[in-house]
Amino acid sequence: MEEVRERLLPPRHIASAAAINPNNAYGASTARRPLFQGMDVLGLKKRGQGLRSWIRVDAATGGSQVIEVDKFTMMRRCDLPARDLRLLDPLFVYPSTILGREKAIVVNLEQIRCIITADEVFLLNSLDSYVLQYVNELQRRLAAHPGDGLTGWSTSPDYLPFEFRALEIALESACTFLDIQAGELETEAYPLLDELTSKISTLNLERVRRLKSRLVALTRRVQKVRDEIEQLMDDDGDMAEMYLTEKKRRLETSVYGDHSLFGHSSAGAGLSVSAPVSPVSSPTDSRRLEKTLSLSRSRHDSMRSSESNKENIEELEMLLEAYFVVIDSTLNKLTSMKEYIDDTEDFINIQLDNVRNQLIQFELLLTTGTFVVAIFGVVAGIFGMNFAVPLFDYPKAFQWVLIITGICGAVIFCGFLWYFKYRRLMPL
């Protein structure tokens, strides 16, 4: 009994080792079974914080360069949260979005994913032709007005700030890309639908089904761009937030004003030290002067910014309205194409219903004829039995049997046809 008990109990040296140094026992267990096996957490962090290639276009010179910047550096440089940069990540699929932030505009429009500031544009480095066309077109427009990128102002009536010109090129590229895809789909759709109406086959039906799936996906993308532009036009605050050049100019003006005010107050403090005035009245007068200057400057800045915001909103609204008309025409083209496909499908369904009804009618006629022919089989089976019948002694008895059976079958067949017509199961 003692031997059996010792065999069932755990060994004493293992328990004592664990009791003496529990850390070693835990280390041995973790060595046998590693924690988070199969998960490369450090690799995931490195991939999330790794360098990414960007194409930078300078507003002042119009030059472009490829830079390697990590995510956090870009966030600090453009004053953007991480969720805004996530919209530009090619690993994620997000719908078209235009976001106005304090110091940047985040644009995600089809192939164009960029960050627009008052001084530069950052595009994700890609070999896509639309990205290269965007860079070339932006450089061409900056070269056409070389002084606008430096000063932020121009005397031409059709002048737009740098961020609006960059946004306009992004909208133009997205609208052109979607319109080209809609044109290619339209070129492919109408001949295929004409072929389907002339010849209904499984292959043509499958091709039309795939075409409609592509059409629905493209319509959603176009609708999203249209809704994004319409949402911006309906919100004056978002449009005012996107005027980065004006905000930069106001910030510089306020900084210069603060410096001048600081110099004025320092000079006033120097004079108060040398002049024999009352120590009670001098701080009060200087504080009143600073308060009056700050209030007047803030009122002046607010009035000027409100007036400029109204003008800037009108400029941006006109820009967005122009491309809203373009994308709306593309959406109307896709909508009319979808209606044509729906009409074709209705026509095909009607034809298939007609064919199905004809097959059902033919099946009814075939079933009725089979029933009539089965009557002859029943008569033949009866007369083919092995027993003597006096009717067999007459030479023309077989002919009369066939005639009577045929007449009965015809009557029965006509009775079925009358019933089908009465029940409107068959147009007779």
Side-chain angles (χ1 to χ4, degrees), residues 8 32 67 79 93 111 186 191 218 248 257 273 293 336-337 362 381 397 401:
L8 294 175
R32 289 193 300 270
I67 58 176
D79 195 13
V93 179
Q111 307 297 325
E186 186 178 14
L218 183 60
K248 178 184 175 183
V273 171
L293 289 175
S336 62
M337 194 188 314
F362 177 75
V401 169

Side-chain angles (χ1 to χ4, degrees), residues 88-129:
L88 308 180
D89 197 335
L91 298 178
F92 299 96
V93 179
Y94 288 100
S96 298
T97 309
I98 302 175
L99 299 176
R101 296 297 185 239
E102 182 65 27
K103 295 182 180 180
I105 301 174
V106 181
V107 178
N108 177 19
L109 292 175
E110 295 299 324
Q111 307 297 325
I112 305 300
R113 299 185 177 191
C114 62
I115 301 174
I116 303 173
T117 65
D119 302 321
E120 53 195 358
V121 174
F122 296 97
L123 293 103
L124 282 174
N125 192 6
S126 176
L127 298 178
D128 192 89
S129 60

